[in-house]
Amino acid sequence: MDKIRLLPHLIIAGIGALWALPLYVLTIGALKPLSEVLTTPVYVPSTNIDLTTLFRVAGELAPVLLNTALVVIPTALGAAFIGSLGAYALWRATTKLKDVLLVVVAVATYLPYQSAVVPLARFMTERGLFDTLYGIALGLLIFFIPFATLMMLIFITAIPRSVVEAAEIDGAGEMLIFAKAVLPLLGPAFTSVATYLTISGWNNFFIPLALSRTYNNHITLKVFSYVGQSGNLYNEMFSAALIASLPPLLLFIALGRYFIRGLLVLGSGGK
């Protein structure tokens, strides 16, 4: 019986070790001096920790990290808010087109980036937004809004309709009901969706690549720029990857309990 109980813990520990292995290689590789980079395998720890490369790469990435934050955070918050409005409108809708609109939102949510990248890039070019932070923000927003709407619609079904009915009896209009009665109850949901979209936008590579000529508009592009054509200094690549991964990791640690609370609401199905 003890062995049966021990088995799940061993499986979890094994999965954790597999997950930690790339992080281990990434960390020790970022701390190696150039002499060891050229002579030792990536998985062998350094005998002489060197922070020079890490600090130099951090200085190179600092403006790009700022650009990425200025794009991703407002985009995630805006998409979550617009998605909340869209979800509320669909939740309250009585028209026969409601099911059609739901299908459209679902299709848009799972639309591959590749299917829209050419018209999207042309749209940005014609309006002078190509290779700009505004263009990347708009591109992310276009793809994020359907997902946010679908997720917020699932969350919003957990709200008792009696809350809305009570506000209607008091004579409140739709926007006032949304702002005063519905949106405050969507706090965990809003945080979960905004956190997910922030991390997703931070890690997105394809949209910034399709809408940029340079590497300085998004952190994933800048990290990719450390991949050389003739050879790679993996301590530079690992340093860039390690630094780029810290902001979303710290964000999740800071807001993790709210994210999980939102997922619990989603899993409860409004019960």
Side-chain angles (χ1 to χ4, degrees):
M1 190 64 179
D2 292 337
K3 293 181 178 180
I4 296 177
R5 291 180 178 178
L6 183 62
L7 181 60
H9 297 281
L10 293 176
I11 294 175
I12 294 173
I15 295 174
L18 291 175
W19 179 87
L21 181 60
L23 182 61
Y24 161 76
V25 173
L26 190 69
T27 303
I28 65 171
L31 300 177
K32 283 187 178 182
L34 181 60
S35 58
E36 293 189 18
V37 168
L38 299 175
T39 57
T40 61
V42 295
Y43 54 83
V44 175
S46 174
T47 57
N48 183 24
I49 294 177
D50 184 11
L51 299 177
T52 304
T53 302
L54 192 65
F55 284 120
R56 177 172 57 79
V57 172
E60 296 173 357
L61 294 184
V64 187
L65 290 170
L66 179 60
N67 286 343
T68 306
L70 291 175
V71 168
V72 169
I73 295 175
T75 300
L77 294 175
F81 180 73
I82 296 173
S84 301
L85 285 171
Y88 176 73
L90 290 172
W91 185 51
R92 294 277 287 162
T94 57
T95 176
K96 295 180 179 180
L97 293 176
K98 177 179 180 179
D99 293 337
V100 177
L101 293 174
L102 285 173
V103 171
V104 171
V105 171
V107 170
T109 299
Y110 298 105
L111 186 71
Y113 294 151
Q114 294 84 346
S115 64
V117 65
V118 174
L120 181 62
R122 184 172 181 178
F123 173 84
M124 296 299 178
T125 302
E126 291 174 351
R127 284 152 184 81
L129 296 175
F130 190 83
D131 198 26
T132 66
L133 298 182
Y134 297 107
I136 295 176
L138 182 57
L140 291 173
L141 191 65
I142 290 172
F143 285 101
F144 283 174
I145 287 176
F147 174 84
T149 301
L150 188 63
M151 290 296 101
M152 296 304 292
L153 182 61
I154 297 174
F155 282 116
I156 207 171
T157 57
I159 297 177
R161 288 190 176 268
S162 58
V163 173
V164 176
E165 293 170 355
E168 285 181 320
I169 293 174
D170 292 336
E174 291 292 350
M175 289 305 299
L176 187 60
I177 293 174
F178 173 78
K180 298 295 184 180
V182 175
L183 191 58
L185 297 177
L186 288 176
F190 188 92
T191 304
S192 295
V193 172
T195 301
Y196 175 83
L197 292 180
T198 299
I199 296 174
S200 179
W202 189 277
N203 295 327
N204 195 291
F205 177 76
F206 189 79
I207 292 179
L209 178 65
L211 300 180
S212 296
R213 294 190 185 94
T214 64
Y215 292 119
N216 295 324
N217 288 335
H218 199 277
I219 189 61
T220 54
L221 300 181
K222 189 64 177 179
V223 172
F224 179 71
S225 72
Y226 284 89
V227 179
Q229 294 182 354
S230 57
N232 300 315
L233 295 177
Y234 67 79
N235 61 334
E236 291 186 354
M237 294 192 310
F238 289 177
S239 295
L242 181 62
I243 294 168
S245 65
L246 288 178
L249 178 61
L250 294 176
L251 175 66
F252 185 80
I253 292 174
L255 300 178
R257 65 179 184 274
Y258 301 106
F259 183 82
I260 294 173
R261 188 184 304 172
L263 293 181
L264 291 175
V265 173
L266 176 61
S268 67
K271 296 179 181 180

